[in-house]
Amino acid sequence: MPELKQQTSIDTAEAAREARLLQNPDAVSATAGSALAPSIPFTYTLPDTLRIWPWERKISPYYRECQADSVAWLESFKPFSPRAQVAFNKCDFSLVSALCFPESSKFVLRSCCDLMHTFFTLDEFTDPLSVEGVKELCYATMDAIENPEKPRPEGENIIGEIARQFWQRARKASPKACEERFIRAWRTYIASVIQQAERRDHSYICTIEEYMAARRDNIGSDPSFALLEMSLGVDLPHEVMEHPTIVALARDTTDMIVLANDMCSYKKEALTNDADYNAVTVVMYNEKTDVTGGIQWISDIHDEVVDHFLRLREDVMNKTNGFPSWGEEIDRQVELYVDGLGMWIRGHDEWNFGSGRYFGDEGLEIQKTRLVHVHY
């Protein structure tokens, strides 16, 4: 009987995962936060948060080649049903890599694509699980990344082997300090995924401060920024990366990613009754406002973060307000890294509209009009 119960749980999780990928609202359970959403259909307007952003769209020339290789690699594990895999591929997680790491070598861009596929596969696998199930999968990825040469145990969920193969390959291009930062960032990332599951199980809607603190970790930006270092060919010591200005720039970048992501993903999550862990819902709940008010509140905060990032960037470029020089070569690498953070923001924004993840085939039109119509 225990084996039958376990198989039933697995089947239920797989059904819920496929329902989300295929955006079937009738097969996904409603949550506390979804009750805050207005009755569907409704419309909201997305602000142009990057209207003064100095970085322009750029895409890697290796995009299509790395996309094909990385998708084939992921599909070799058969992580989803055929229908769900088609829906997953429409999100085009290789596109976000090509837009956010446009200066990367072909080898590293492939690793960036593999990282995105690892992230989002883990996300799809863990979303329908209990806290204990989430812990099991997250700990498997952590062990795989800490021990990439060790075979995975028989019977383990395939996510462990996906993570192992990704990092076994990617680390070949990583300087030692960068590798250490990636492993540390992954540990923080999975802890936040587990925390999110705990809150989901209790239908808990965070305060705005709690939400941002947790989301900074589980959006996956810090592991991605380690791959950014690899893509730029920089080798920066910990003391440089831990300087308060560099830390603040990375945090600003993360906050912009979170806020933009949640404004764009709100439609998809509202349609699948899964919008409780989204900044729009969190702001609506805590500020006692509606969708329009929530979006405007987030947009205002995003504007403040943009201004702060650009001021800090000036300090790095001009060595002002106490930002030091580490010598010509390290200074050059630091400036490359900060420029890479700026490119990440532009690339992520372009992917929000250019992939099928949040808006299906309507993304490019929504990018022009800024109008989002939520309807079944």
Side-chain angles (χ1 to χ4, degrees):
M1 289 301 290
E3 289 183 3
L4 178 60
K5 182 177 179 182
Q6 181 182 30
Q7 185 59 50
T8 300
S9 176
I10 292 170
D11 291 344
T12 301
E14 288 180 350
R17 182 163 67 238
E18 180 156 342
R20 275 196 320 281
L21 282 168
L22 299 174
Q23 295 197 16
N24 178 4
D26 296 328
V28 183
S29 299
T31 60
S34 64
L36 294 173
S39 297
I40 295 173
F42 65 94
T43 298
Y44 65 94
T45 301
L46 285 173
D48 183 4
T49 53
L50 299 184
R51 58 194 177 276
I52 66 168
W53 199 245
W55 286 269
E56 298 294 331
R57 174 190 168 100
K58 188 183 297 184
I59 191 165
S60 169
Y62 305 117
Y63 163 44
R64 289 299 184 187
E65 185 176 353
C66 290
Q67 176 195 47
D69 290 345
S70 188
V71 168
W73 168 74
L74 181 69
E75 288 182 347
S76 72
F77 296 101
K78 295 181 171 56
F80 307 112
S81 72
R83 287 181 69 216
Q85 185 69 60
V86 169
F88 185 89
N89 290 349
K90 284 183 179 178
C91 299
D92 201 349
F93 300 115
S94 299
L95 177 61
V96 72
S97 295
L99 290 165
C100 292
F101 306 97
E103 303 298 335
S104 178
S105 68
K106 184 168 70 173
F107 181 90
V108 174
L109 184 67
R110 164 64 197 278
S111 296
C112 296
C113 295
D114 291 352
L115 172 63
M116 296 303 156
H117 282 133
T118 303
F119 271 142
F120 285 99
T121 302
L122 179 62
D123 182 58
E124 295 296 340
F125 278 18
T126 56
D127 263 0
L129 297 181
S130 67
V131 174
E132 289 309 308
V134 171
K135 286 180 179 178
E136 180 180 343
L137 267 58
C138 286
Y139 293 156
T141 67
M142 188 73 252
D143 183 68
I145 282 169
E146 290 183 321
N147 304 282
E149 305 303 327
K150 184 178 78 173
R152 304 311 304 158
E154 186 177 349
E156 181 183 76
N157 186 287
I158 199 65
I159 194 64
E161 180 63 9
I162 291 172
R164 188 194 74 80
Q165 288 191 20
F166 147 68
W167 186 235
Q168 183 187 48
R169 180 185 186 281
R171 67 197 290 258
K172 294 175 182 177
S174 178
K176 186 174 186 300
C178 179
E179 181 175 354
E180 292 169 355
R181 284 192 286 272
F182 178 85
I183 293 171
R184 186 168 64 232
W186 193 269
R187 186 176 295 111
T188 301
Y189 164 68
I190 64 164
S192 70
V193 173
I194 293 168
Q195 182 186 59
Q196 178 180 351
E198 291 169 343
R199 288 174 171 169
R200 183 174 63 235
D201 274 9
H202 292 89
S203 298
Y204 176 69
I205 300 180
C206 311
T207 66
I208 296 170
E209 292 76 15
E210 286 173 334
Y211 178 79
M212 289 303 297
R215 199 75 169 101
R216 287 181 185 114
D217 292 330
N218 73 22
I219 196 72
S221 58
D222 285 344
S224 300
F225 294 162
L227 272 289
L228 175 62
E229 295 178 57
M230 296 184 214
S231 78
L232 298 170
V234 300
D235 184 5
L236 294 166
H238 291 313
E239 68 168 301
V240 173
M241 297 300 285
E242 292 167 3
H243 187 278
T245 299
I246 300 299
V247 172
L249 283 162
R251 175 168 164 159
D252 284 351
T253 304
T254 296
D255 284 357
M256 285 184 273
I257 292 169
V258 168
L259 297 174
N261 177 88
D262 285 13
M263 286 189 285
C264 289
S265 68
Y266 184 71
K267 173 184 177 177
K268 175 179 180 287
E269 292 166 4
L271 284 171
T272 54
N273 296 318
D274 192 29
D276 57 329
Y277 208 71
N278 181 295
V280 178
T281 298
V282 172
V283 171
M284 287 167 58
Y285 179 79
N286 286 280
E287 296 293 314
K288 306 296 187 290
T289 188
D290 58 9
V291 174
T292 298
I295 293 286
Q296 186 59 55
W297 193 97
I298 293 169
S299 176
D300 292 343
I301 295 299
H302 193 289
D303 287 349
E304 293 176 11
V305 180
V306 166
D307 289 343
H308 189 250
F309 181 98
L310 294 177
R311 288 198 305 271
L312 291 180
R313 177 184 178 239
E314 288 301 310
D315 289 339
V316 171
M317 302 299 289
N318 299 321
K319 308 297 180 289
T320 52
N321 291 318
F323 191 79
S325 170
W326 283 279
E328 184 177 347
E329 177 55 23
I330 294 296
D331 289 353
R332 182 190 69 81
Q333 293 187 33
V334 168
E335 290 172 14
L336 271 178
Y337 178 71
V338 173
D339 186 69
L341 293 176
M343 196 64 240
W344 236 96
I345 294 301
R346 175 61 69 187
H348 177 261
D349 187 75
E350 290 289 322
W351 175 77
N352 282 339
F353 299 100
S355 79
R357 175 70 169 175
Y358 300 132
F359 302 119
D361 297 330
E362 301 173 338
L364 296 180
E365 182 63 23
I366 290 172
Q367 189 177 29
K368 293 177 184 176
T369 66
R370 316 307 292 186
L371 290 176
V372 181
H373 303 290
V374 183
H375 54 84
Y376 291 127

